[in-house]
């Protein structure tokens, strides 16, 4: 045992063994820096990739910012239809952020054209929409003729391509059985409305106010159709001796204005008149009741707030531009009131005219409401003076073909005033 131990000790600490240990240590020591160098090299490559990507994105952002500035800085009167077409080409040829920049720029060019030359804007919009510009991306659509946009299957590559129907849908006038002109009904698919809890609450309050201001006219039908049943019943009611339907249209306007006033509560109209329309409140001064507004922001701010609180009557809407290109416009996608009623008389005397009168008389802000009976869109332009409906060429004469109110009024005299 002693000899074995001595032999092991001698072998373990022999010069040859010592040399092997030293050599192993050197190898290990030499490998460590190489591992660190390889790791550092990979890390540097990753950092370079990140920096290159960041640099490219910043460059793209700078170029897109320059594009937007070039669109915004272009003088209004220098914009032409050709500029809009070139912007469409740029949208089609780009992607991602650059495409969004060109879309923004195209919209700005359309707004500038709208401000400088309305007729040229309408012709350009009709030429490019919907084949190259979706109708919903136009700054104003009130006089832009609607063209159907359909999808057709491409048999070659089994993909879907969009095509434009060559049959333009315009207001069509036909002759009724009694020889009177009638306006063709909307042929577009009906829109399904999803009422929010706020919409349902406001509709309930509004219907109760209508019952109050019509002397008890009510209906068991739920929702917006029940409201329209109330309105139709009030519009077509038998009148006392000596009262004409022309007189009754004024009564309808008064009813709607009183209902709108009740909906806004006694607090909101005075607040609006002061801070939006610039009407001096009664303070015992010589300026009491005088209007020094509307303030510059009133039309725009009103168009931003209205969709939330009037959706229960008209359905989805969004701010857009007025016919003069200024902010303060609002376009109703497909009017709930018109779609569900199918009645020009209700549209005219229980929405358009009383709304215009209410905003002017009670709130101090002009308003133009222009329904489109082909698409059932509706353009609201706050701060824009309305044209008398008798002189408004865009408002077609006669009743709608499928109107139920006309059937109720059949045989009565002087009812043409209901639909103009």
């Amino acid at each position: 045992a002693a000899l074995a131990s001595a032999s092991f000790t001698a072998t373990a600490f022999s010069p040859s063994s010592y040399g092997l240990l030293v050599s192993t240590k050197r190898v290990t020591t030499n490998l460590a820096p190489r591992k660190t160098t390889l790791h550092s090299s990979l890390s540097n490559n990753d950092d370079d990739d990140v920096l290159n990507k960041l640099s490219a994105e910043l460059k793209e952002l700078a170029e897109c910012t320059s594009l937007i500035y070039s669109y915004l800085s272009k003088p209004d009167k220098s914009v032409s239809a050709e500029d809009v077409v070139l912007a469409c080409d740029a949208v089609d040829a780009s992607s991602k952020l650059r495409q969004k920049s060109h879309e923004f720029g195209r919209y700005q060019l359309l707004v500038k054209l709208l401000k400088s030359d309305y007729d040229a804007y309408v012709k350009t919009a009709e030429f490019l929409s919907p084949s190259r510009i979706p109708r919903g991306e136009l700054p104003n659509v009130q006089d832009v003729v609607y063209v159907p946009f359909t999808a057709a299957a491409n048999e070659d590559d089994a993909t879907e391509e969009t095509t434009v129907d060559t049959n333009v849908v315009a207001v069509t006038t036909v002759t009724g059985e009694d020889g009177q002109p009638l306006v063709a009904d909307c042929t577009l698919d009906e829109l399904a409305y999803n009422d929010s809890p706020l919409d349902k609450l406001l509709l309930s309050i509004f219907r109760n106010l209508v019952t109050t201001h019509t002397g008890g006219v009510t209906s068991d039908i739920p929702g917006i159709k029940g409201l329209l049943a109330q309105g139709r019943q009030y519009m077509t009611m038998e009148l006392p001796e000596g009262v004409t339907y022309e007189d009754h249209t004024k009564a309808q306007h008064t009813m709607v204005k009183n209902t709108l006033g009740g909906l806004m509560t006694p607090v909101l109209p005075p607040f609006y008149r002061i801070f939006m329309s610039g009407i001096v409140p009664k303070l015992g001064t010589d300026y009491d009741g005088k209007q020094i507004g509307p303030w510059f922001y009133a039309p725009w701010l009103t168009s931003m707030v209205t969709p939330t609180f009037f959706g229960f009557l008209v359905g989805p809407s969004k701010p857009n531009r007025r016919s003069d290109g200024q902010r303060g416009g609002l376009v109703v996608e497909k009017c709930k009131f018109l779609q569900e009623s199918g009645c020009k008389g209700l549209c005219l005397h229980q929405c358009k005219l009383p709304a215009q009168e209410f905003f002017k008389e009670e709130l101090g802000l002009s308003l133009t409401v222009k329904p489109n009976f082909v698409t059932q869109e509706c353009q609201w332009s706050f701060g824009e003076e309305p044209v008398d409906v008798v002189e408004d060429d865009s408002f077609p004469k006669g009743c709608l073909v499928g109107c139920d109110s006309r059937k109720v009024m059949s045989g009565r005299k002087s009812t043409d005033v209901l639909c103009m």
Side-chain angles (χ1 to χ4, degrees):
L3 289 174
S5 175
S7 175
F8 172 79
T9 302
T11 302
F13 294 99
S14 65
S16 60
S17 299
Y18 179 75
L20 180 60
L21 290 173
V22 172
S23 177
T24 303
K25 184 176 181 181
R26 285 175 179 172
V27 171
T28 305
T29 305
N30 291 337
L31 286 175
R34 292 178 185 174
K35 183 178 181 181
T36 304
T37 303
L38 180 60
H39 176 75
S40 300
S41 177
L42 292 173
S43 179
N44 290 337
N45 289 336
D46 291 341
D47 291 343
D48 290 343
D49 290 341
V50 172
L51 289 174
N52 290 335
K53 289 180 181 178
L54 181 60
S55 176
E57 290 177 359
L58 290 174
K59 182 180 178 181
E60 178 74 0
L61 181 60
E63 291 177 355
C64 289
T65 303
S66 178
L67 278 174
I68 291 174
Y69 177 76
S70 67
Y71 283 119
L72 291 174
S73 61
K74 192 174 182 64
D76 293 357
K77 293 184 178 180
S78 67
V79 175
S80 64
E82 184 180 359
D83 295 324
V84 182
V85 173
L86 291 175
C88 289
D89 293 340
V91 169
D92 296 339
S94 56
S95 60
K96 297 183 179 180
L97 183 60
R98 190 174 293 264
Q99 185 179 59
K100 295 295 182 183
S101 300
H102 283 299
E103 287 177 351
F104 175 84
R106 181 179 64 187
Y107 183 88
Q108 297 304 317
L109 292 178
L110 287 168
V111 170
K112 292 174 184 291
L113 188 60
L114 180 61
K115 290 179 180 179
S116 61
D117 190 338
Y118 184 75
D119 291 336
Y121 164 79
V122 171
K123 291 178 181 178
T124 302
E126 290 177 349
F127 177 71
L128 295 173
S129 179
S131 61
R132 305 201 66 185
I133 306 176
R135 188 174 177 86
E137 294 181 12
L138 295 174
N140 184 284
V141 296
Q142 67 183 42
D143 291 317
V144 178
V145 174
Y146 175 78
V147 180
F149 197 40
T150 58
N154 187 335
E155 298 179 357
D156 295 334
D157 55 5
T159 59
E160 189 178 79
E161 58 180 16
T162 51
T163 59
V164 178
D165 192 334
T166 56
N167 297 317
V168 174
V169 181
V171 175
T172 304
T173 302
V174 298
T175 303
E177 296 177 357
D178 55 357
Q180 295 297 317
L182 299 177
V183 178
D185 296 319
C186 174
T187 58
L188 304 183
D189 293 337
E190 291 194 351
L191 183 65
Y193 302 101
N194 296 316
D195 293 338
S196 68
L198 177 62
D199 291 334
K200 295 177 181 178
L201 174 62
L202 292 175
L203 179 59
S204 176
I205 296 172
F206 196 86
R207 290 191 61 178
N208 289 334
L209 289 169
V210 168
T211 299
T212 300
H213 294 298
T214 56
V217 175
T218 186
S219 172
D220 294 331
I221 302 173
I224 186 68
K225 292 187 177 181
L227 171 65
L228 294 169
Q230 290 176 265
R232 197 188 307 275
Q233 182 181 344
Y234 185 64
M235 182 180 73
T236 60
M237 64 187 298
E238 292 280 0
L239 302 179
E241 187 70 26
V243 178
T244 66
Y245 280 102
E246 185 173 1
D247 298 329
H248 189 53
T249 58
K250 298 177 181 177
Q252 290 183 69
H253 299 176
T254 301
M255 179 272 292
V256 175
K257 289 186 285 186
N258 290 338
T259 301
L260 289 173
L263 185 67
M264 294 187 73
T265 74
V267 177
L268 291 180
F271 179 88
Y272 191 97
R273 285 195 293 267
I274 296 172
F275 296 103
M276 300 287 271
S277 298
I279 299 176
V280 179
K282 294 181 180 180
L283 300 173
T285 68
D286 295 337
Y287 298 98
D288 288 3
K290 293 185 177 180
Q291 186 169 8
I292 55 178
W295 305 120
F296 68 93
Y297 55 80
W300 168 75
L301 191 55
T302 304
S303 70
M304 297 296 291
V305 174
T306 300
T308 301
F309 298 100
F310 277 86
F312 77 97
L313 280 177
V314 299
S317 61
K318 64 178 181 179
N320 71 343
R321 299 295 181 117
R322 304 182 319 205
S323 60
D324 60 0
Q326 300 299 322
R327 298 182 187 276
L330 176 79
V331 61
V332 178
E333 180 182 344
K334 200 170 191 291
C335 181
K336 180 194 295 187
F337 196 89
L338 182 56
Q339 174 182 290
E340 300 300 333
S341 68
C343 178
K344 270 185 64 189
L346 286 174
C347 169
L348 181 63
H349 295 296
Q350 295 189 21
C351 183
K352 173 181 165 61
L353 293 181
Q356 292 177 171
E357 293 170 5
F358 179 79
F359 267 86
K360 183 64 175 180
E361 298 168 5
E362 301 298 326
L363 302 181
L365 182 69
S366 299
L367 168 65
T368 295
V369 178
K370 297 194 72 170
N372 184 328
F373 295 101
V374 173
T375 63
Q376 294 181 339
E377 296 166 321
C378 190
Q379 175 69 36
W380 290 50
S381 298
F382 299 99
E384 182 178 281
E385 289 292 339
V387 178
D388 190 302
V389 68
V390 178
E391 302 173 358
D392 188 358
D393 294 333
S394 67
F395 195 87
K397 311 305 179 189
C399 188
L400 292 174
V401 172
C403 179
D404 291 331
S405 302
R406 187 177 73 259
K407 301 172 185 177
V408 176
M409 301 292 287
S410 179
R412 301 185 195 179
K413 296 181 179 180
S414 303
T415 61
D416 55 338
V417 70
L418 296 178
C419 296
M420 302 302 294

